[in-house]
């Protein structure tokens, strides 16, 4: 007996087996005979002696040749979610020894056929949680039942190997017709017997679209009935790819899809390893993976490299502090897989329904969702950066952030008043610590109501915001989507007007659904309705006239609810209690959110739940553009693919623990893969009391989050930099000034993210895909291709070990060089230092830092070149006014490329505008100049220079215009 509670997300473990590229190594499905009728029981054999002897002879012959290739089982359809073991076969004579022998032979052959399937390739036939699965229950589904081996159980305290799994002959679909189309092909899939979930769809339509040379799209739909499809905009290809990098093969009986990389033959997708299931509320397919190196699949707290040891990742937006092995705030059904040899590919399932994604050590992956259609993409790369570019080409490129978004943000839940908030801002100024943005949590609201501020404790809030603006700083406030519904009629415009316009989500009976959040009873805006977007804009506009905020923090938008469902409970139906419920925290779709059966403009909440944060972000971004006429700044907790178009993300309500410091790197890298580069964790931790050493180290790491915000919780000691000892405060100040000095480099990285879909914070494997040692590194990361960040992530140490891929690396601070063969190095890391190294061949622009980016961004540039062995390097700079919408699209920008070769640096101004004319290049440093030069020339004019023993050449007081080509040479 085994309880499938073992398969809960909190009970998964890790492994690393690799897959042979032979797609038939372990599974080969055989044609299922067509029955006269459908039955869950094996068909009863005839009592004829002659027939029995013939059957027995045939079975013995097959057993003698190896193992039984085919067993005769008939299935019957089920009409409900209950699964009962089959009853005894009627009519069997008690003394029929021959009949018993035949049945035993069939059973033994069946057992042998099941037993040859390796444990790593057993696909779960009974994934329901909270069910004790025995042999009778398993075989009622016509599946194999074999308890995991004793050895496997000993390997892991909580083993996830399924005891009930699909046999090779489990009924699946067959391809009955295939027709070429202008984009690829269409086919009809038919299944003649039903499986064990209700609403089995027996005829499907498959469309394979060769959209680009590196992008393949597959859609499997129900031709007889319209089903929910995710309402995000994706590109519509109109011409079939001419030279695709993929080869598509079809297994017709049973149906299976095999996708190979044309150049290497590597099998990227192979769905023949398990049957396709397609029922009304249960869609499932599995595919082999070429290796176990799989990334993405957000949002989950884990290592950057996912485990494939029976690791179930549940996706359904949920308000819960980040913890391992549970569904969190966002849903991103996309993965990147590294192949042997350094190639990479990606896979994206465009589906928003609750789902489980199961990784197993074959390696293989199973997608199990409870609605919508199967609509997926395969991206061919071939390098990992190209995979992400191809993915964001589908879901949308991230927006270019407003310049101050890249500064230091300060917030807490627990500023008692606007004056208390103001005091923190003044202290930061007095200590000369950079700060661009001050935030407020829900403290500022009047009785926690949106679009209000407390007239007593926050009466000076408008004055605070005006003061921030006078000091070139900005203000961001929190907004929760839930709107108070219990105020006296006529006293709270947001609810009264929303009720009048019908903007709130309705329950199954058509009444406004009421839940409970911070202000008490609340209604939830339906952001799938454009009417709601207009109402949301008007609320923001009215409040902006009172408090001129600059950006918005949208929280609690999973949506979060302090009760399950609503104040009126939820109906008992298949939406609330589907035949299969993925492993969501709480066990119910409505756990700490609204009813799955709730009605929205586009569909039921059952389909739209995980899109709620995306739709709110879209409405908020649009409203800010209209109000401010600048690039909108929005940070959202809940996210979905294409979110980067509208907002950034913070990693949620973390804890002030060293482990959370470490896991924030994996979260940051994962969201850069997902097309949301503006991401970071709460610096110093949100909940629990932080420690001074932890906060220093976290500020150093946080200085290299793309989005850097310090935020802590109610009733905790302050943790802004001014709250600590002089030594700690100085170390934090240095880290933040360092961030501000890198602003031109960081801003340029975001330009490339916006334009090309590049990552900003980047895993080492992206730049070194042939170095397998980089595949699991998540204690270090890169900014772009050039800057290696090696933070301290452990207490009580003054050193850190970091891996340096093969090549030359330069200490950013000193220019000292390190030549690595691909090895781990021991680095000094006193409390006031974070280790930074420049990669050979890089040119990065920096600036003199100041207290705000408005001031810093006007300072002259300093160019730092890290030369390769042959003396070459390159880099670039994108520059505009930092806030105007669509500057690249409307040609209001400057773009300059820098190159170093044979002792000469050149700049090439590819585009310029007036903003670039305000910037000068005042100095330059060259790391790795092997011999001291006799002279340095700038535009053929000799200038003074400094050359140090560590082969660093520097020149200052250059006075070069950014928008005019120049040369710097030495000899």
């Amino acid at each position: 007996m085994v309880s499938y509670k073992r398969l809960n997300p909190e009970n998964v473990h890790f492994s690393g087996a690799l897959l042979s590229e032979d797609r038939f190594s372990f599974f080969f499905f055989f044609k299922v005979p067509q029955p006269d009728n459908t039955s869950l029981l094996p068909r009863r054999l005839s009592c004829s002696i002659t027939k029995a002897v013939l059957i027995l002879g045939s079975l013995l012959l097959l057993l003698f040749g190896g193992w039984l290739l085919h067993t005769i089982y008939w299935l019957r359809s089920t009409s409900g979610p209950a699964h009962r073991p089959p009853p005894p076969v009627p009519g069997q004579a008690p003394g029929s020894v021959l009949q018993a022998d035949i049945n035993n032979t069939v059973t033994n052959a069946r057992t042998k056929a099941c037993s040859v399937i390796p444990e790593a390739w057993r696909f779960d036939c009974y994934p329901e949680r909270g069910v004790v699965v025995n042999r009778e229950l398993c075989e009622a589904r016509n599946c194999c039942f074999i308890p995991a081996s004793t050895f496997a159980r000993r390997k892991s305290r909580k083993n996830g190997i399924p005891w009930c799994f699909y046999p090779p002959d489990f009924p699946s679909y067959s391809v009955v017709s295939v027709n070429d189309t202008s984009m690829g092909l269409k086919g009809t899939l038919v299944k003649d017997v039903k499986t064990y979930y209700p609403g089995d769809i027996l005829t499907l339509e498959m469309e394979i679209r060769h959209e680009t040379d590196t992008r393949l799209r597959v859609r499997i739909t129900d031709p007889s009935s319209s089903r929910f499809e995710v309402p995000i905009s994706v590109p519509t290809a109109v011409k079939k790819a001419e030279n695709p990098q993929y080869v598509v093969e079809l297994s017709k009986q049973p149906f299976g899809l095999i996708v190979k990389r044309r150049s290497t033959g590597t099998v990227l997708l192979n769905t023949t390893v398990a049957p396709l299931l397609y029922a009304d509320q249960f869609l499932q397919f599995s595919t082999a993976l070429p290796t176990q190196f799989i990334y993405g699949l957000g949002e989950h707290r884990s290592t950057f490299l996912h485990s494939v040891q029976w690791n179930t990742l549940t996706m359904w937006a949920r308000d819960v502090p980040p913890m391992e092995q549970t569904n969190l705030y966002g849903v991103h059904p996309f993965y990147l897989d590294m192949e042997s040899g350094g190639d990479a590919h990606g896979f994206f399932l465009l589906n928003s329904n609750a789902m489980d994604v199961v990784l197993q050590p074959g390696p293989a992956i199973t997608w199990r969702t409870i609605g919508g259609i199967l609509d997926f993409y395969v991206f061919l790369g071939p390098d990992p950066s190209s995979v992400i570019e191809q993915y964001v080409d589908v879901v949308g490129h991230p927006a270019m952030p407003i310049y101050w978004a890249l500064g230091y943000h300060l917030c807490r839940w627990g500023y008692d008043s606007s004056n208390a908030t103001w005091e923190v801002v003044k202290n930061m100024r007095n200590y000369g610590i950079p700060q661009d943005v001050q935030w407020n949590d829900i403290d500022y609201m009047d009785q926690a109501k949106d679009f209000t501020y407390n007239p007593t404790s926050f009466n000076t809030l408008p004055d605070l915001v005006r003061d921030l603006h006078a000091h070139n700083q900005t203000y961001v406030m929190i907004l929760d989507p839930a709107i108070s519904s219990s105020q006296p009629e006529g006293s709270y415009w947001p609810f009264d007007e929303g009720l009048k316009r019908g903007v709130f989500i309705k329950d199954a009976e058509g009444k406004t659904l009421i839940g409970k959040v911070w202000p008490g009873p609340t209604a939830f805006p339906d952001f799938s309705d454009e009417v709601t977007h207009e109402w949301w804009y008007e609320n923001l506009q009215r409040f902006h006239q009172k408090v001129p905020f600059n950006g918005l923090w949208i929280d609690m938008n999973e949506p979060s609810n302090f009760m399950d469902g609503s104040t009126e409970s939820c109906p008992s139906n298949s939406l609330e209690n589907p035949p299969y419920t993925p492993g969501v925290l709480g066990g119910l779709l409505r756990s700490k959110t609204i009813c799955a059966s709730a009605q929205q403009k586009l569909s039921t909440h059952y389909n739209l739940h995980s899109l709620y944060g995306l739709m709110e972000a879209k409405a908020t971004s649009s409203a800010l553009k209209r109000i401010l006429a600048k690039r909108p700044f929005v940070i959202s907790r809940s996210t979905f693919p294409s979110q980067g178009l509208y907002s950034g993300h913070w990693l949620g309500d973390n804890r002030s623990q060293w482990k959370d410091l470490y896991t924030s790197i994996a979260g940051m890298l994962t969201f850069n893969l997902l097309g949301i580069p503006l991401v970071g964790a709460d610096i110093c931790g949100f909940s629990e009391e932080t420690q001074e050493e932890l906060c220093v180290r976290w500020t150093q790491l946080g200085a290299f989050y793309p989005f850097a915000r310090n935020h802590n919780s109610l009733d905790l000691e302050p943790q802004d930099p001014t709250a600590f000892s002089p030594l700690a405060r100085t170390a934090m100040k240095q880290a933040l000034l360092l961030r501000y000095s890198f602003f031109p480099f960081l801003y340029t990285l975001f330009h490339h993210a916006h334009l090309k879909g590049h990552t900003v914070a980047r895993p080492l494997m992206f730049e070194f895909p042939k170095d397998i040692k980089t595949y699991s590194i998540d204690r270090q990361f890169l900014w772009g291709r050039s800057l290696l960040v090696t933070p301290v992530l452990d207490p009580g140490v003054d050193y850190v070990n970091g891996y340096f891929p093969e090549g030359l690396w330069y200490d950013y601070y000193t220019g000292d060089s390190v030549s690595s063969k691909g090895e781990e190095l021991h680095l000094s890391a006193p409390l006031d230092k974070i280790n930074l190294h420049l990669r050979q061949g890089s040119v990065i622009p920096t600036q003199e830092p100041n207290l705000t980016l408005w001031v810093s961004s006007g300072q002259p540039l300093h160019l730092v070149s890290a030369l390769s062995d042959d003396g070459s390097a390159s880099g670039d700079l994108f520059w505009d006014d930092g806030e105007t919408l669509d500057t690249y699209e409307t040609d209001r920008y400057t773009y300059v490329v820098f190159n170093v070769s044979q002792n000469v640096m050149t700049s090439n101004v590819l585009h310029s505008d007036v903003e670039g004319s305000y910037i000068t290049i005042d100095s330059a440093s060259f790391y790795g100049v092997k011999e001291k030069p006799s002279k340095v020339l700038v535009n053929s004019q000799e200038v003074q220079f400094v050359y140090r023993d560590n082969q660093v050449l520097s020149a200052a007081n250059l006075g070069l215009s950014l928008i005019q080509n120049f040369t710097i040479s030495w000899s």
Side-chain angles (χ1 to χ4, degrees):
M1 307 277 280
V2 59
S3 167
Y4 267 72
K5 289 182 179 177
R6 292 173 181 269
L7 293 183
N8 283 347
E10 60 269 23
N11 294 325
V12 295
H13 293 275
F14 299 86
S15 173
L18 293 175
L19 166 67
S20 164
E21 290 182 3
D22 179 2
R23 69 180 183 272
F24 300 111
S25 295
F26 300 113
F27 264 99
F28 191 92
F29 287 117
F30 299 92
K31 181 177 179 180
V32 180
Q34 306 306 308
D36 299 324
N37 51 55
T38 57
S39 171
L40 199 61
L41 301 177
R43 190 177 182 185
R44 191 177 60 192
L45 297 173
S46 167
C47 291
S48 163
I49 297 297
T50 302
K51 193 170 184 179
V53 170
L54 288 174
I55 293 173
L56 179 59
S58 298
L59 288 171
L60 291 174
L61 181 62
L62 288 172
L63 287 170
F64 180 79
W67 55 282
L68 183 64
L69 296 178
H70 182 63
T71 51
I72 303 174
Y73 270 76
W74 304 111
L75 299 176
R76 66 167 172 82
S77 63
T78 58
S79 59
H83 307 289
R84 296 183 294 276
V89 178
Q92 178 174 305
S96 180
V97 177
L98 182 58
Q99 183 68 50
D101 288 344
I102 293 171
N103 287 341
N104 287 338
T105 302
V106 172
T107 300
N108 291 338
R110 171 87 171 186
T111 301
K112 188 171 183 179
C114 292
S115 66
V116 300
I117 300 172
E119 290 178 343
W121 289 95
R122 294 178 180 176
F123 292 87
D124 198 351
C125 180
Y126 218 118
E128 286 84 351
R129 291 162 178 80
V131 179
V132 177
V133 182
N134 57 26
R135 183 179 298 277
E136 288 182 320
L137 285 174
C138 179
E139 292 182 352
R141 293 190 171 185
N142 223 24
C143 288
C144 299
F145 183 80
I146 300 177
S149 67
T150 302
F151 172 74
R153 290 197 299 272
R154 288 174 180 170
K155 279 174 58 181
S156 174
R157 183 173 61 88
K158 298 176 180 177
N159 195 276
I161 299 171
W163 292 20
C164 181
F165 54 95
Y166 296 107
D169 61 348
F170 190 88
S172 190
Y173 292 87
S174 298
V175 181
V176 297
S177 68
V178 177
N179 298 298
D180 290 334
T181 69
S182 61
M183 290 299 298
L185 60 83
K186 283 187 177 181
T188 300
L189 313 180
V190 170
K191 183 169 62 174
D192 293 290
V193 292
K194 292 187 176 182
T195 48
Y196 46 84
Y197 283 109
D200 223 346
I201 300 169
L202 299 183
T203 300
L204 301 173
E205 183 175 271
M206 172 195 62
E207 181 182 13
I208 298 176
R209 298 174 58 87
H210 298 228
E211 295 199 335
T212 72
D213 289 346
T214 56
R215 185 176 83 223
L216 176 72
R217 186 179 185 184
V218 179
R219 286 168 51 88
I220 301 176
T221 57
D222 178 1
S224 66
S225 179
S226 177
R227 296 174 61 86
F228 176 76
E229 298 189 31
V230 178
I232 67 171
S233 177
V234 295
T236 302
V238 296
K239 183 181 178 183
K240 183 178 178 180
E242 295 180 355
N243 298 294
Q245 295 182 17
Y246 45 84
V247 176
V248 181
E249 297 176 3
L250 281 180
S251 168
K252 291 189 176 181
Q253 197 167 16
F255 163 71
L257 183 67
I258 300 99
V259 180
K260 297 179 180 178
R261 184 179 296 281
R262 185 181 295 277
S263 61
T264 63
T266 301
V267 178
L268 311 181
L269 202 70
N270 176 11
T271 71
T272 67
V273 295
L276 167 67
L277 281 77
Y278 206 119
D280 182 44
Q281 291 181 271
F282 188 87
L283 292 75
Q284 177 179 285
F285 70 101
S286 304
T287 177
L289 297 169
T291 74
Q292 82 274 30
F293 299 114
I294 186 170
Y295 311 84
L297 298 173
E299 182 175 12
H300 296 92
R301 174 162 140 155
S302 69
T303 52
F304 179 54
L305 171 63
H306 285 298
S307 159
V308 296
Q309 183 59 37
W310 307 108
N311 183 10
T312 299
L313 302 170
T314 299
M315 295 189 184
W316 180 249
R318 178 63 149 86
D319 172 8
V320 58
M323 62 181 69
E324 285 78 1
Q325 295 146 356
T326 192
N327 52 307
L328 298 181
Y329 312 106
V331 167
H332 295 270
F334 165 82
Y335 70 74
L336 179 144
D337 190 83
M338 294 297 298
E339 305 159 32
S340 58
D343 287 340
H345 71 277
F347 180 96
F348 171 44
L349 176 63
L350 183 52
N351 185 290
S352 62
N353 289 92
M355 70 176 74
D356 283 333
V357 183
V358 184
L359 299 171
Q360 62 188 74
I365 185 170
T366 295
W367 298 88
R368 188 181 297 137
T369 184
I370 61 171
I373 65 171
L374 296 181
D375 184 359
F376 58 84
Y377 294 82
V378 183
F379 306 105
L380 271 288
D383 59 277
S385 291
S386 297
V387 172
I388 303 308
E389 291 177 35
Q390 292 153 19
Y391 171 61
V392 298
D393 280 346
V394 169
V395 300
H397 287 217
M400 185 67 184
I402 195 165
Y403 77 96
W404 52 259
L406 306 185
Y408 181 60
H409 301 241
L410 192 56
C411 183
R412 75 159 299 161
W413 181 20
Y415 292 128
D416 293 333
S417 66
S418 50
N419 287 340
T421 310
W422 207 342
E423 285 302 313
V424 174
V425 173
K426 293 174 182 176
N427 287 340
M428 292 284 287
R429 293 173 190 162
N430 290 337
Y431 282 114
I433 301 173
Q435 182 192 1
D436 262 84
V437 195
Q438 181 60 51
W439 298 42
N440 273 126
D441 208 314
I442 60 173
D443 315 276
Y444 80 90
M445 297 179 182
D446 182 18
Q447 300 176 354
K449 301 192 303 289
D450 279 350
F451 313 113
T452 68
Y453 66 93
N454 189 302
T456 303
S457 57
F458 278 81
N459 62 313
T460 59
L461 182 58
D463 298 323
L464 163 62
V465 176
R466 283 189 285 270
D467 179 75
L468 289 168
H469 293 168
H471 288 83
N472 303 310
Q473 294 173 302
T474 53
Y475 179 71
V476 170
M477 65 184 193
I478 195 171
L479 275 181
D480 297 333
I483 300 296
S484 175
S485 62
S486 59
Q487 306 307 310
E489 185 176 352
S491 67
Y492 185 46
W493 193 86
F495 180 73
D496 293 336
E497 188 66 18
L499 203 61
K500 177 182 175 181
R501 300 188 194 183
V503 307
F504 298 118
I505 294 175
K506 309 296 191 296
D507 63 18
E509 297 179 353
K511 299 181 296 184
T512 299
L513 184 145
I514 302 298
K516 185 178 181 181
V517 194
W518 298 113
T522 51
F524 297 83
D526 177 9
F527 290 106
S528 75
D529 190 343
E530 286 298 324
V531 172
T532 307
H533 288 217
E534 186 65 23
W535 165 86
W536 190 248
Y537 156 71
E538 290 180 26
N539 276 286
L540 289 170
Q541 184 186 46
R542 289 161 59 97
F543 191 69
H544 187 265
Q545 292 170 355
K546 302 173 184 175
V547 179
F549 57 85
N550 303 95
L552 290 169
W553 167 23
I554 52 176
D555 192 16
M556 306 287 285
N557 54 353
E558 291 71 33
S560 179
N561 188 2
F562 293 167
M563 58 174 53
D564 293 348
S566 78
T567 55
E568 301 295 326
S569 72
C570 304
S572 179
N573 58 30
S574 62
L575 295 180
E576 299 296 337
N577 304 292
Y580 176 82
T581 300
V584 298
L585 183 64
L588 299 170
L589 297 182
R590 62 182 174 272
S591 294
K592 295 300 178 283
T593 189
I594 65 176
C595 300
S597 57
Q599 301 295 309
Q600 297 186 234
K601 175 69 179 295
L602 288 184
S603 187
T604 61
H605 195 69
Y606 181 90
N607 293 322
L608 294 173
H609 170 80
S610 292
L611 293 163
Y612 194 87
L614 169 65
M615 291 178 169
E616 186 193 13
K618 184 176 181 179
T620 306
S621 173
S622 174
L624 287 179
K625 287 180 181 179
R626 294 170 66 183
I627 295 168
L628 302 174
K630 296 178 181 179
R631 298 175 201 167
F633 175 80
V634 183
I635 292 293
S636 175
R637 191 167 72 180
S638 186
T639 58
F640 192 81
S642 79
Q643 190 94 20
L645 285 164
Y646 312 109
S647 83
H649 172 63
W650 99 102
L651 297 173
D653 295 340
N654 60 2
R655 292 169 291 277
S656 297
Q657 296 181 1
W658 289 92
K659 181 178 181 180
D660 292 68
L661 172 66
Y662 157 62
T663 58
S664 71
I665 297 178
M668 171 184 65
L669 294 178
T670 295
F671 271 90
N672 270 265
L673 265 61
L674 300 175
I676 309 175
L678 188 63
V679 62
D682 281 345
I683 295 171
C684 301
F686 172 71
S687 65
E688 305 180 10
E689 294 286 1
T690 196
Q691 304 162 359
E692 184 170 277
E693 181 191 9
L694 173 62
C695 202
V696 169
R697 294 302 193 189
W698 211 323
T699 304
Q700 291 169 345
L701 171 59
F704 292 91
Y705 291 155
F707 165 61
R709 181 185 74 163
N710 180 319
H711 177 48
N712 71 327
S713 188
L714 190 67
D715 298 328
L716 299 178
E717 291 298 316
Q719 63 182 34
D720 63 87
T722 70
F724 295 99
S725 70
L727 178 63
R729 185 170 61 243
T730 300
M732 293 180 192
K733 176 180 176 178
Q734 289 174 348
L736 296 176
L737 287 170
L738 188 61
R739 176 187 179 87
Y740 277 50
S741 72
F742 279 116
F743 172 71
F745 177 50
L746 180 60
Y747 193 67
T748 302
L749 292 178
F750 269 98
H751 164 69
H752 290 303
H754 170 62
L755 183 62
K756 302 174 183 176
H758 290 181
T759 51
V760 174
R762 187 170 303 175
L764 272 69
M765 70 172 189
F766 270 47
E767 295 298 322
F768 303 93
K770 295 186 183 300
D771 184 351
I772 199 170
K773 294 178 183 176
T774 64
Y775 287 14
S776 61
I777 290 177
D778 56 10
R779 298 178 70 88
Q780 296 170 275
F781 58 94
L782 294 159
W783 264 13
R785 63 176 299 272
S786 306
L787 184 66
L788 177 62
V789 183
T790 308
V792 172
L793 304 173
D794 301 298
V797 297
D798 58 2
Y799 67 90
V800 64
N801 295 323
Y803 181 74
F804 286 73
E806 183 176 0
L808 266 177
W809 297 87
Y810 296 91
D811 184 299
Y812 172 74
Y813 305 104
T814 65
D816 293 345
S817 64
V818 173
S819 181
S820 174
K821 297 178 180 178
E823 54 199 299
E824 191 170 272
L825 300 177
H826 185 84
L827 307 172
S828 173
L831 189 62
D832 61 353
K833 179 183 180 182
I834 181 170
N835 274 274
L836 303 174
H837 289 81
L838 288 179
R839 181 184 178 186
Q840 66 177 27
S842 303
V843 177
I844 66 167
T846 67
Q847 279 180 317
E848 183 76 21
N850 210 289
L851 299 188
T852 67
L853 286 178
W854 178 260
V855 179
S856 295
S857 62
Q859 300 298 309
L861 297 176
H862 174 66
L863 301 179
V864 184
S865 301
L867 305 184
S868 299
D869 258 338
D870 63 1
S872 64
S874 62
D876 60 351
L877 173 67
F878 176 85
W879 203 254
D880 60 15
D881 68 6
E883 59 185 18
T884 299
L885 290 162
D886 302 325
T887 55
Y888 177 80
E889 291 77 6
T890 55
D891 291 332
R892 289 176 288 177
Y893 68 94
T894 295
Y895 183 66
V896 184
V897 173
F898 307 104
N899 283 290
V900 183
S901 179
Q902 298 180 339
N903 298 350
V904 179
M905 167 179 265
T906 60
S907 77
N908 186 7
V909 181
L910 300 182
H911 195 279
S912 65
D913 82 333
V914 65
E915 287 294 331
S917 68
Y918 303 144
I919 303 300
T920 61
I921 298 169
D922 190 58
S923 57
S925 294
F926 301 88
Y927 296 171
V929 177
K930 296 178 180 179
E931 296 181 358
K932 181 178 180 179
S934 59
K935 60 182 177 180
V936 173
L937 302 177
V938 176
N939 290 336
S940 302
Q941 299 294 315
E942 192 167 342
V943 298
Q944 293 185 338
F945 67 90
V946 174
Y947 183 82
R948 299 200 300 269
D949 291 342
N950 62 350
Q951 301 185 340
V952 174
L953 171 65
S954 298
N957 302 315
L958 304 180
L960 297 169
S961 170
L962 178 64
I963 63 170
Q964 294 179 359
N965 295 342
F966 65 81
T967 62
I968 303 175
S969 61
W970 61 92
S971 59

